[in-house]
């Protein structure tokens, strides 16, 4: 960049070379001389170079003489500089002390502000804890007031009240109970909360007991509104699995224990298939209302369903597997390969038909990922069945080979 910006002095017009050639970044002496010899003799090239050399020396001397006075006066201009610097050192020192003092004051102010902010944050946290505890107390008192008002009614009015009204009241209690649980979790470790725990435990037990009774009443009376309110209340307090477990124990288990009877399966020629057919009849006969309310049925109205439940996967199927494993253990015995193959084929066909009753691909995926589904499949000892069949085939082949090969006719 500096070479390109430098201007060389102009020479005579009759020079045999261009002065700008010397400034090229790729300048080469041999190439320069070779190019010039094509135009002039070496003597003339030498004379031109000497002439231009003299011009360069003259230009350099003129450049030095132009700024010579400034170089000479440089030392003169610096006279008294040390005194001026000493005069500046005192006010600069004072300024430094003032800046350090100001920095110290600012640091102390920042520290005081931080302490005050920390205290305000601590006060805010304590205030939030107090407000949460107040909300817990209000929720407990509100729920107890609702329960007391219900329990203080006369028996005649209680008998005349509809179960649906009870379901609505439980739904109100569940909404308040959900807020109670949230604030109780946020206030964990507070001494006052420990004093309230017996009352909260009593409310929890009462709510679960009432929900269980109401759900059973709705199932027995086939009342869709009661079932809907009850399941919605279970979902509000995040107890959907409790509702599914209750249905499994109260509704599914008695039917399974009645249908799965080992003596009947072994004494009838088509007893296993008949048992499976009865198990498949359970869903359309006894789970129609539950599927309609939770959106698993074909006729379910999407705007009036309670999501979050899958009774076929979490209630019916686990009880079926439990009944087969506990009451029909001979089903998985691979001792007789022919009988085992027949049982396995019918059982897998039953599983496929049960999957069709799930109603959606998402429900089928949940079924196939359920632990009881894997447990049922693992009960079939297929490696032992394979070994028995392998020995049969191998024995037949060895017997055929030991008898020798007969000549073809």
């Amino acid at each position: 960049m500096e070479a390109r910006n430098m201007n060389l002095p102009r020479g005579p017009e009759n020079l045999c070379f261009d002065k700008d050639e010397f400034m090229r970044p790729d300048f080469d002496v041999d190439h320069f001389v070779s190019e010039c010899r094509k135009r002039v003799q070496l003597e003339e090239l030498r004379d031109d170079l000497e002439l231009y050399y003299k011009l360069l020396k003259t230009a350099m001397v003129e450049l030095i003489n132009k700024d010579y006075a400034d170089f000479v006066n440089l030392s003169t201009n610096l006279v008294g500089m040390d005194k001026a610097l000493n005069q500046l050192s005192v006010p600069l020192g004072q300024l430094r002390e003032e800046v350090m003092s100001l920095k110290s004051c600012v640091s102390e102010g920042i520290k005081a502000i931080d302490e005050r902010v920390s205290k305000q944050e601590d006060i805010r946290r304590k205030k939030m804890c107090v407000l949460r505890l107040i909300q817990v107390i209000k929720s407990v008192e509100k729920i107890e007031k609702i329960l007391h008002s219900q329990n203080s009614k006369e028996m005649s009015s209680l008998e005349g009240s509809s179960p649906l009204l009870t379901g609505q009241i439980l739904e109100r209690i569940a909404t308040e109970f959900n807020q109670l649980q949230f604030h109780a979790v946020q206030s964990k470790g507070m001494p006052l909360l420990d004093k309230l725990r017996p009352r909260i435990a009593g409310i929890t037990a009462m709510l679960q007991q009432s929900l269980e009774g109401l759900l059973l009443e709705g199932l027995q009376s086939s009342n869709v509104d009661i079932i809907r309110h009850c399941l919605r209340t279970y979902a509000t307090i995040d107890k959907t699995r409790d509702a599914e477990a209750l249905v499994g124990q109260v509704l599914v288990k008695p039917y399974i224990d009645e249908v799965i009877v080992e003596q009947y399966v072994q004494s009838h020629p088509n007893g296993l298939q008949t048992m499976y057919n009865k198990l498949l009849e359970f869903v359309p006969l006894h789970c129609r209302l539950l599927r309609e309310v939770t959106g698993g049925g074909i006729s379910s109205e999407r705007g009036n369903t309670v999501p979050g439940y899958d009774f076929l996967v979490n209630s019916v199927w686990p009880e079926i597997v439990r009944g087969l494993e506990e009451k029909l253990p001979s089903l998985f015995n691979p001792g007789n390969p022919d009988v085992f193959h027949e049982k396995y084929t019918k059982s897998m066909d039953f599983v496929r038909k049960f999957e069709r009753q799930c109603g959606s691909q998402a429900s089928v995926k949940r079924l196939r990922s359920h632990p009881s589904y894997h447990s049922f499949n693992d009960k079939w000892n297929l490696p032992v069945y394979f070994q028995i069949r392998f020995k049969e085939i191998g024995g037949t082949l060895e017997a055929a080979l030991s008898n020798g090969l007969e000549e073809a006719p």
Side-chain angles (χ1 to χ4, degrees), residues 74-201:
L74 180 62
S75 60
T76 304
N77 295 333
L78 294 177
V79 174
M81 184 63 67
D82 54 347
K83 184 178 179 180
L85 293 176
N86 290 332
Q87 291 177 352
L88 289 175
S89 62
V90 176
L92 288 176
Q94 295 176 352
L95 180 62
R96 182 177 181 276
E97 292 179 357
E98 293 177 359
V99 171
M100 295 301 295
S101 176
L102 179 61
K103 180 182 178 182
S104 177
C105 293
V106 172
S107 299
E108 292 178 357
I110 293 175
K111 183 178 179 181
I113 293 174
D114 290 339
E115 291 178 353
R116 181 170 296 181
V117 170
S118 178
K119 290 181 180 179
Q120 289 181 347
E121 182 65 21
D122 184 59
I123 293 173
R124 188 188 67 83
R125 286 195 298 266
K126 292 180 179 178
K127 181 180 179 181
M128 292 300 298
C129 291
V130 172
L131 291 177
R132 283 195 291 264
L133 287 173
I134 292 175
Q135 187 62 40
V136 170
I137 296 174
K138 287 183 177 179
S139 297
V140 171
E141 291 178 349
K142 183 177 181 180
I143 294 174
E144 290 178 343
K145 183 178 180 180
I146 296 174
L147 296 177
H148 179 71
S149 64
Q150 288 299 112
N151 293 331
S152 62
K153 291 182 179 180
E154 297 180 357
M155 290 299 297
S156 58
S157 61
L158 280 176
E159 292 175 356
S161 62
S162 64
L164 180 58
L165 180 60
T166 307
Q168 292 174 345
I169 293 173
L170 286 178
E171 195 168 349
R172 284 176 52 199
I173 295 176
T175 303
E176 193 68 32
F177 181 77
N178 202 28
Q179 297 181 4
L180 169 62
Q181 283 187 317
F182 172 78
H183 292 294
V185 171
Q186 298 294 324
S187 305
K188 187 176 181 181
M190 302 297 292
L192 181 59
L193 183 64
D194 295 334
K195 296 181 179 180
L196 293 174
R197 288 197 181 280
R199 297 167 66 182
I200 297 175

Side-chain angles (χ1 to χ4, degrees), residues 244 248 252 256 260 276 279-280 282-283 287 310-325 347-348 350-355 357-358 363 366-377 380:
E244 291 172 340
V252 184
I256 299 300
I260 301 179
Y276 280 145
L279 291 177
L280 292 172
F282 176 82
V283 173
C287 294
D310 197 338
F311 289 100
L312 268 67
V313 174
N314 299 318
S315 301
V316 180
W317 178 255
E319 287 298 325
I320 291 177
V321 175
R322 179 201 59 79
L324 293 175
E325 292 178 354
S347 298
M348 292 301 106
F350 163 74
V351 173
R352 286 189 293 270
K353 291 180 179 178
F354 187 85
E355 288 180 350
Q357 293 183 338
C358 290
S363 180
R366 288 192 292 268
L367 175 66
R368 292 178 179 177
S369 62
H370 200 278
S372 60
Y373 189 91
H374 296 290
S375 174
F376 180 74
N377 287 328
W380 299 96

